[in-house]
Amino acid sequence: MSSRVGIRKHLPNRARKKGLAPGSLVYVGTSQKQAASHPPRITSMIFEGETPQEQEGYALPDILPLRPAPALTWINVEGLHNEALLAEFGEAFQLNGLLLEDILNTEQRPKAETLDTHTYIILKTFQFKAAQEEIATEQVSIVMGPHFVITFLEDADPQFDEVKNRLRLNSRRLRSLGVGYLTHMLLDTIIDSYFSVLEEVGERLETLEDSLSEAQPPNILQNLHRLKRELIFLRKNIWPVREILNGLQQADTEIITPAVHPYLRDLYDHTIQVMDTLESYRDLLSGLQDLYLSVLSYRMNDVMKVLTIMSSLFIPLTFIVGVYGMNFKVMPELNQPWGYPAVWMIMLLTATGMLAYFKRKRWI
């Protein structure tokens, strides 16, 4: 199940892994669809003729057996909470136990590894939830075999529907380039989700910048910190994608043929662009934080300046009033009829003179 950025996940089933041997299949995630009424959904597309053949089921026998090579099969699994189903996949496709363990761990860092007969990739995909104003993330695992590709999603997700539609219309290039090209299509969809999220982040940054220049919006500091956490989270999960794509190009395997390398290099360039945009946003966010503190300091200085001027004006006036407030019987001006207005005149002249002095010094 997708998770929200900035909200700490509580994973009580992580403790189930304590003391277990490496490769033990334990689901680590927060999926709420562990009930029998919501079993994992399995779909497949077989590229043997001009039009791909599609199948759908909720158990592995509904999909198997695979067609012999050179027919290419793409199997998509939506839902990871069924550990027994993952064990069946491991037995049917001779998948390493450590690989299955990584697939079930939805907190896994993005990575790619090449085993004896398989290559697998684990990535994060992102989606901006406008209603909640947050970024949702989901783990995607891609397992590549000699003539098949298996994708594992945390939950039901339509992100690969566009890929399926394109393949229904034209799968000629896929049949000629094989597993590597299908993997490129899936990775391209995932990386496109990065651009979509960064566009939303950029709009939020512009909104915050406009708010800072116009007025003091409420909760501005909380919004800045929240956006900073999201950018850190994005960078943490996007940065390894460059290494993954670079490793796929250099891998000595028959699964990724040299004909696919130009497509992978194109994805690598897109990832560089994503990282450049992400770094620019981080710099801009740091500038907004500095701007916020500067605006806050400037406003505080304005307030302190007004208070200081008022205090400076009243200090001599308080002195004069204090002198004539002393309880002495003999004070020359007390018995004079002009004493009271004279004191007022002195105070007014003092205040006016000080204001004129402050104005000349450009303190006000």
Side-chain angles (χ1 to χ4, degrees):
M1 181 181 178
S2 58
S3 57
R4 296 187 298 177
V5 174
I7 297 181
R8 180 175 297 177
K9 291 184 180 181
H10 299 281
L11 304 176
N13 51 7
R14 185 185 291 274
R16 294 168 53 197
K17 300 185 67 174
K18 183 178 181 180
L20 297 179
S24 301
L25 302 186
V26 177
Y27 172 69
V28 178
T30 56
S31 178
Q32 298 176 355
K33 294 189 175 182
Q34 298 184 12
S37 58
H38 297 89
R41 177 171 171 263
I42 307 173
T43 60
S44 71
M45 298 184 75
I46 304 172
F47 304 93
E48 193 172 20
E50 291 293 329
T51 303
Q53 303 176 29
E54 301 187 45
Q55 295 176 311
E56 180 176 344
Y58 296 93
L60 192 55
D62 300 335
I63 305 300
L64 295 179
L66 296 182
R67 301 289 178 84
L72 170 61
T73 302
W74 172 23
I75 301 175
N76 185 50
V77 182
E78 297 177 351
L80 295 180
H81 50 273
N82 192 325
E83 299 157 358
L85 177 62
L86 267 291
E88 293 178 10
F89 267 93
E91 183 178 353
F93 295 93
Q94 289 79 49
L95 302 181
N96 188 287
L98 295 176
L99 184 158
L100 297 176
E101 183 182 17
D102 288 343
I103 292 174
L104 287 173
N105 181 11
T106 60
E107 297 296 298
Q108 178 65 48
R109 181 181 184 271
K111 60 184 291 189
E113 284 192 26
T114 299
L115 304 176
D116 295 335
T117 58
H118 304 90
T119 297
Y120 75 98
I121 306 170
I122 296 178
L123 297 174
K124 302 292 184 182
T125 182
F126 306 104
Q127 184 180 5
F128 182 76
K129 302 293 186 180
Q132 296 82 14
E133 293 187 355
E134 63 189 13
I135 298 174
T137 179
E138 182 177 357
Q139 179 166 295
V140 178
S141 303
I142 304 174
V143 179
M144 296 170 282
H147 65 286
F148 65 85
V149 175
I150 309 175
T151 52
F152 296 92
L153 307 179
E154 289 187 55
D155 210 340
D157 197 312
Q159 62 178 310
F160 290 149
D161 288 354
E162 183 60 30
V163 176
K164 294 179 181 178
N165 292 333
R166 288 164 54 191
L167 293 174
R168 292 186 185 107
L169 296 175
N170 186 2
S171 59
R172 186 177 307 168
R173 183 177 296 177
L174 173 63
R175 291 196 304 273
S176 63
L177 296 179
V179 170
Y181 185 72
L182 177 56
T183 303
H184 156 264
M185 297 180 70
L186 299 174
L187 293 176
D188 184 55
T189 301
I190 294 173
I191 293 175
D192 284 344
S193 73
Y194 300 164
F195 284 103
S196 300
V197 169
L198 287 179
E199 288 177 2
E200 296 293 341
V201 171
E203 292 181 2
R204 293 168 64 188
L205 281 171
E206 291 179 1
T207 302
L208 286 174
E209 187 175 13
D210 294 339
S211 300
L212 283 174
S213 61
E214 294 175 358
Q216 177 86 26
N219 301 324
I220 181 65
L221 191 58
Q222 292 87 336
N223 292 333
L224 288 172
H225 282 302
R226 180 181 179 183
L227 195 55
K228 182 178 182 180
R229 289 197 302 269
E230 292 178 356
L231 289 177
I232 293 174
F233 181 85
L234 290 173
R235 186 181 187 277
K236 174 184 175 183
N237 288 282
I238 295 177
W239 182 270
V241 179
R242 300 194 310 172
E243 302 174 7
I244 292 173
L245 293 172
N246 191 40
L248 290 177
Q249 296 179 65
Q250 299 177 2
D252 184 14
T253 173
E254 296 180 356
I255 297 177
I256 305 294
T257 62
V260 184
H261 289 178
Y263 298 98
L264 295 178
R265 284 196 296 270
D266 182 64
L267 289 181
Y268 183 85
D269 293 339
H270 291 173
T271 308
I272 295 295
Q273 184 179 353
V274 170
M275 288 303 305
D276 289 343
T277 304
L278 191 57
E279 294 297 329
S280 299
Y281 285 167
R282 291 183 64 195
D283 294 339
L284 179 58
L285 181 60
S286 299
L288 288 180
Q289 289 179 319
D290 294 339
L291 177 60
Y292 170 74
L293 295 177
S294 298
V295 170
L296 198 63
S297 177
Y298 177 77
R299 289 173 178 167
M300 181 63 69
N301 289 338
D302 276 350
V303 173
M304 293 303 298
K305 182 173 68 174
V306 172
L307 294 178
T308 302
I309 291 174
M310 293 178 64
S311 300
S312 301
L313 290 176
F314 278 94
I315 286 175
L317 305 184
T318 304
F319 172 75
I320 295 173
V321 174
V323 169
Y324 286 99
M326 294 186 294
N327 295 322
F328 291 109
K329 291 184 178 180
V330 181
M331 291 187 71
E333 294 83 1
L334 291 180
N335 296 322
Q336 300 297 329
W338 46 263
Y340 179 72
V343 171
W344 267 107
M345 184 62 66
I346 293 173
M347 289 192 295
L348 290 175
L349 290 174
T350 302
T352 304
M354 292 182 67
L355 286 173
Y357 179 77
F358 294 159
K359 186 70 174 177
R360 190 176 64 180
K361 289 290 186 178
R362 296 184 180 179
W363 293 347
I364 58 175

